[in-house]
Amino acid sequence: MPHVLDPELRHALAARIRYYNEMGIYDFYRRPVSSGVGEVPIAVGEEETAVSTNQTESGEAMSPRKATAVAMPVVEENICEAIALKPEQSVSDPVQALKIIREDLGDCTRCVLHKQGRKQIVFGVGNPTAELMFVGEGPGADEDAQGEPFVGRAGQLLNNMIKAMGIEREQVYIANIVKCRPPGNRTPEREECATCSPFLMRQIAVVKPKVVVALGAVAAKTLLAMNASMMQLRGRFYDFRPAGVRSNDPNWDGCKLAVTYHPAFLLRDPRQKGEAWKDLQMVMKELGMKPPVGKNAQ
Ligand code: URA
């Protein structure tokens, strides 16, 4: 049940969050709430601060001794949303906002992929206001060399798929779950996906597409935070909101997400191209697009 926080405390918390934001601190971690402790912890980076509430749920003041005997629910939702504020959210130009995310990523060493032979970070490419976004798994050798997603053989097929939809690659935005090449093109580990995907979520919140197409199981499972087979995942739309971040546009409250086969899989098993084309047609219908006459994704 949502807990209504005392307005004064909420104000104080919001002010504290703004203060940290102004110092460039945007990531907050909540200490697990241990039962019987009347505290609302707000942890900032390495440092943790606890604000004593001394309030009952009905808002009555309590003695400090009594307060420690009551388990305090976690901070209410709108404060949590404030906590999720990211630096790019104060910027209206999506090109600038994406630059901020890229700068935040820096020369990333957050997961092991940085020391497993990556040449460069492959951030994402395309129209920063695209209606349609494609998300793959992670860069391969060509992408690692060129610094751009989907430029190898799988990329050529993705380009053909995009063309078959009657649009150009430049009109969409393309990114991956992980931004560094996994050695030997292995599947990225769950930990690597979890570490890297918050940056993708932020990119999605900036681009604000109408539809995201997850290419393959890794992209689908990570974006949807669910474990299912491709057979179960395909063939329908999901309501999608990028996890842990909000767009600065109050009119964008998430988008549709569709799942289709990864182009690399389609190269290995071209018989499935027809199925992928069905997925893309579903997307086109959602976006009100018509394929050019006589085109297909072969
Ligand atoms: N496969 C992917 O998942 N992403 C790329 O960028 C290239 C190949």
Side-chain angles (χ1 to χ4, degrees):
M1 206 169 61
H3 172 69
V4 180
L5 205 64
D6 166 61
E8 247 179 61
L9 177 61
R10 186 172 53 189
H11 191 74
L13 268 175
R16 175 73 73 95
I17 289 162
R18 265 197 307 278
Y19 168 71
Y20 284 122
N21 285 172
E22 275 161 21
M23 291 199 304
I25 298 167
Y26 295 90
D27 294 320
F28 299 81
Y29 305 93
R30 217 164 46 197
R31 195 166 54 198
V33 178
S34 57
S35 60
V37 179
E39 291 180 335
V40 177
I42 52 166
V44 183
E46 302 286 288
E47 169 209 346
E48 289 197 345
T49 313
V51 181
S52 177
T53 61
N54 289 0
Q55 293 275 331
T56 65
E57 212 157 319
S58 62
E60 281 170 61
M62 291 167 54
S63 74
R65 201 181 56 77
K66 229 173 142 192
T68 59
V70 177
M72 203 57 204
V74 293
V75 182
E76 71 169 341
E77 233 174 66
N78 59 357
I79 290 290
C80 292
E81 284 174 2
I83 285 170
L85 261 185
K86 299 290 178 198
E88 68 276 11
Q89 285 176 281
S90 57
V91 172
S92 57
D93 175 11
V95 175
Q96 268 313 110
L98 289 170
K99 261 193 198 146
I100 290 172
I101 301 171
R102 179 63 190 89
E103 275 165 21
D104 199 2
L105 196 55
D107 189 20
C108 187
T109 57
R110 292 171 181 83
C111 84
V112 293
L113 292 179
H114 82 277
K115 52 182 177 190
Q116 296 194 342
R118 75 146 191 236
K119 288 198 178 75
Q120 56 186 315
I121 291 168
V122 180
F123 183 66
V125 72
N127 177 0
T129 59
E131 289 194 347
L132 178 57
M133 184 158 173
F134 288 93
V135 175
E137 183 176 306
D142 295 311
E143 291 75 21
D144 185 44
Q146 295 183 41
E148 183 173 326
F150 285 100
V151 290
R153 276 188 72 223
Q156 294 313 309
L157 179 54
L158 178 62
N159 290 349
N160 290 343
M161 290 159 73
I162 293 168
K163 272 211 181 95
M165 298 173 82
I167 52 176
E168 296 296 324
R169 177 180 166 102
E170 292 69 32
Q171 289 175 263
V172 305
Y173 193 86
I174 307 173
N176 283 306
I177 295 291
V178 296
K179 300 193 186 314
C180 296
R181 183 191 180 199
N185 295 345
R186 68 160 167 79
T187 304
E189 300 286 349
R190 189 195 295 250
E191 183 79 11
E192 293 154 5
C193 295
T195 304
C196 202
S197 60
F199 291 93
L200 172 66
M201 299 293 180
R202 289 166 64 183
Q203 286 169 283
I204 298 173
V206 165
V207 175
K208 300 182 286 170
K210 288 189 176 152
V211 176
V212 170
V213 176
L215 299 167
V218 170
K221 290 183 197 177
T222 307
L223 290 170
L224 295 171
M226 64 192 279
N227 201 1
S229 69
M230 281 298 282
M231 224 171 63
Q232 292 165 320
L233 289 164
R234 288 183 48 245
R236 54 163 288 198
F237 278 114
Y238 300 82
D239 288 323
F240 174 73
R241 277 189 193 177
V245 64
R246 274 194 321 159
S247 165
N248 61 5
D249 180 352
N251 297 318
W252 192 84
D253 187 28
C255 62
K256 300 272 182 225
L257 186 145
V259 177
T260 194
Y261 291 119
H262 193 288
F265 169 78
L266 295 174
L267 288 172
R268 290 194 300 274
D269 187 356
R271 288 168 308 174
Q272 302 305 324
K273 282 183 180 179
E275 287 300 299
W277 182 231
K278 280 186 202 161
D279 299 330
L280 296 184
Q281 283 177 306
M282 181 179 86
V283 169
M284 289 161 65
K285 194 166 169 209
E286 176 69 22
L287 293 172
M289 295 162 56
K290 289 219 163 22
V293 181
K295 286 260 166 113
N296 61 39
Q298 311 302 303

